[in-house]
Amino acid sequence: MSKKPFHYELKNQVSGSAEIRMYGYIGKYDEFDYKRFQQVFRDALQTHSDLTIRMHCGGGSVYEGLAIYDLILNSEGHTKVIVEGMAASMGGVIALAGDEIEMNDNAFFMMHAVTAGCFGNKNDFKNGIQQIENCEERLGKIFGERTKADEKTIKNWFDSGQDHWLSSDKCLELGICDRVIKPTKKRKTGQEAENITNKTPEEAFECFNLYPEPPEENYINQHTEMKKEAIFAALAAAGLAGKLTASSSDKEFEQHLEELFGKAKRTDTLENELKEFKETQAEVLISAALKSGKITASERDEWIKDATQNYALVAKSLERMSGKPDPNAGLERQKPAVDGDSHELLNGREKWTFSEWQEKDPKGLERLNEEAQEEFEKLFNAEFED
């Protein structure tokens, strides 16, 4: 007979923890038994110092459960058990092996008498009863050691013939769990449920109110779906959600965020390059103005700062300014005519862009600005104006 699948998944490996999910029943032909559990448990502790066991267990074999209980209790690693739905019967006993025990607000523990079947003669039945009583004595000792329940209460769990379902608050009172995990996500009102695309990213995050008060500890793997929901809302509000939906997988969210981070990094690089280019342009412009006597050396840094911020405006302002008297005023420089009225420097460089001029012949670019302002502005406008 084939065994049902056992849920085991590593999580948060960077932080040194692993996660095992005990969802189902305990037994050789159920979701997990001692043989399979101990293998993944030992493997996890070889490389992870902390272990989280998430439990939604309806109970099962007493002997398989006790073996798992001893394995967890005697391990060197730190084990935290989180009861998500129920820890019933032997599931509750296993949960008590954790160094820390937490319960979701709506989770339950259940205790009851040990049940068994028997076939044979009267001695077989007597032995069966003795076996049940031995098991209940062993389980009662575990409850007595690991909880605040008194002997009378524990005895009643076994002798009443009833299933005793304990709420998370009652378990906290009896010391069965150390902490109750209260929900932090609030139900959205009709007003809050309005079209999220009309909100800013900050408003979108605020709608979910994930952490109204700073948590006392960093509980890894808690509220994963709510975090995804908040991330999606913020991305959608900023117009960056792309093909993501609220139901997209963790992997799809991870890939999308990596893509956004990559684009942001490239944008930063381009912004830095543009800043350097603007600063170089400003220096060329102001050096020409300084040389022509339009500004003084003491004003140079301030003019460069203004030109970096608004090159076109500063260039036009300098164009209207008169500089120191030019001894060559009134004299026309002899320029060889190339391609009609084009400046001699443009000969063979008609296809150069403004950036290419800066890279290949910055002094020529400065001379072009002095001697052929119109050609200089054409180059500039072609590259920097829409």
Side-chain angles (χ1 to χ4, degrees):
M1 184 182 296
S2 62
K3 298 176 180 178
K4 295 182 181 180
F6 174 60
H7 303 279
Y8 171 59
E9 185 175 354
L10 291 177
K11 291 286 188 181
N12 299 306
Q13 298 186 61
V14 174
S15 62
S17 65
E19 180 177 295
I20 294 179
R21 300 175 181 181
M22 300 182 71
Y23 297 159
Y25 291 86
I26 310 163
K28 183 176 181 181
Y29 300 108
D30 287 303
E31 282 76 10
F32 53 93
D33 58 5
Y34 175 71
K35 182 177 180 180
R36 286 184 289 168
F37 181 89
Q38 64 86 25
Q39 185 62 56
V40 294
F41 185 86
R42 295 182 199 276
D43 288 346
L45 288 181
Q46 284 183 358
T47 53
H48 298 81
S49 57
D50 295 325
L51 185 66
T52 297
I53 297 177
R54 292 184 174 275
M55 176 175 290
H56 177 51
C57 178
S61 168
V62 172
Y63 298 110
E64 297 289 327
L66 285 174
I68 294 173
Y69 171 88
D70 287 337
L71 175 68
I72 297 172
L73 188 64
N74 294 323
S75 67
E76 294 182 359
H78 181 86
T79 303
K80 176 166 67 175
V81 176
I82 300 176
V83 181
E84 295 184 335
M86 65 177 172
S89 189
M90 283 309 297
V93 176
I94 291 174
L96 292 176
D99 297 298
E100 295 178 67
I101 305 171
E102 299 178 357
M103 293 181 67
N104 283 348
D105 193 27
N106 294 314
F108 283 86
F109 258 69
M110 189 271 279
M111 292 78 162
H112 62 183
V114 174
T115 58
C118 186
F119 179 82
N121 58 39
K122 61 182 179 181
N123 288 326
D124 293 324
F125 277 83
K126 288 180 181 179
N127 290 333
I129 292 172
Q130 182 63 50
Q131 188 177 15
I132 290 175
E133 289 178 345
N134 289 339
C135 287
E136 289 183 347
E137 181 181 356
R138 180 68 259 175
L139 297 179
K141 186 175 181 180
I142 291 174
F143 288 133
E145 292 173 347
R146 303 287 287 177
T147 74
K148 297 177 183 177
D150 57 35
E151 183 177 350
K152 180 179 179 181
T153 299
I154 295 172
K155 192 173 187 305
N156 183 58
W157 290 341
F158 296 123
D159 294 345
S160 65
Q162 299 177 345
D163 293 341
H164 297 267
W165 292 92
L166 307 181
S167 68
S168 59
D169 290 335
K170 185 64 176 179
C171 288
L172 185 63
E173 177 186 333
L174 291 174
I176 293 173
C177 69
D178 304 305
R179 178 177 177 269
V180 175
I181 303 172
K182 299 291 184 179
T184 56
K185 180 179 178 181
K186 294 183 179 180
R187 184 185 297 275
K188 297 190 291 289
T189 65
Q191 181 178 1
E192 292 170 335
E194 65 183 73
N195 191 347
I196 197 69
T197 59
N198 294 328
K199 295 183 179 293
T200 65
E202 292 77 12
E203 291 171 337
F205 271 114
E206 186 63 27
C207 284
F208 291 93
N209 194 22
L210 297 184
Y211 299 105
E213 295 180 1
E216 294 180 2
E217 299 181 34
N218 181 21
Y219 291 96
I220 300 172
N221 289 328
Q222 291 297 309
H223 315 302
T224 301
E225 295 302 322
M226 289 192 288
K227 288 182 179 178
K228 283 173 55 178
E229 199 169 309
I231 291 171
F232 172 73
L235 291 173
L240 299 174
K243 295 182 180 180
L244 281 184
T245 65
S247 60
S248 295
S249 67
D250 290 351
K251 186 65 176 177
E252 289 171 324
F253 266 83
E254 180 182 345
Q255 291 174 345
H256 188 73
L257 289 175
E258 286 179 353
E259 183 180 344
L260 289 179
F261 294 152
K263 289 181 178 179
K265 186 176 181 179
R266 290 193 296 273
T267 299
D268 289 341
T269 300
L270 291 173
E271 286 181 351
N272 290 333
E273 291 178 355
L274 180 59
K275 180 182 178 182
E276 291 176 2
F277 173 77
K278 287 182 176 180
E279 290 173 350
T280 302
Q281 278 298 107
E283 288 182 5
V284 171
L285 178 65
I286 301 309
S287 293
L290 180 62
K291 184 177 180 180
S292 63
K294 294 183 178 181
I295 63 171
T296 64
S298 62
E299 299 173 319
R300 181 178 180 277
D301 291 343
E302 191 66 28
W303 276 95
I304 288 178
K305 179 180 177 182
D306 293 340
T308 301
Q309 296 175 350
N310 194 329
Y311 183 92
L313 179 62
V314 172
K316 289 185 179 296
S317 299
L318 290 172
E319 184 181 356
R320 297 189 180 98
M321 294 171 62
S322 59
K324 62 185 178 182
D326 186 354
N328 296 318
L331 298 178
E332 184 178 351
R333 293 186 181 183
Q334 185 176 0
K335 302 175 185 177
V338 181
D339 295 331
D341 296 328
S342 297
H343 192 280
E344 60 180 5
L345 289 173
L346 296 173
N347 185 22
R349 303 177 178 181
E350 292 85 354
K351 295 183 179 181
W352 278 19
T353 64
F354 197 89
S355 296
E356 287 177 313
W357 274 97
Q358 280 195 304
E359 180 180 351
K360 299 176 181 179
D361 190 5
K363 291 184 178 180
L365 181 63
E366 183 177 343
R367 182 181 162 194
L368 196 65
N369 183 32
E370 295 175 358
E371 299 176 2
Q373 184 70 31
E374 185 176 346
E375 297 290 351
F376 179 89
E377 289 185 356
K378 284 182 181 179
L379 283 172
F380 180 84
N381 293 339
E383 185 159 341
F384 297 103
E385 292 191 4
D386 296 334

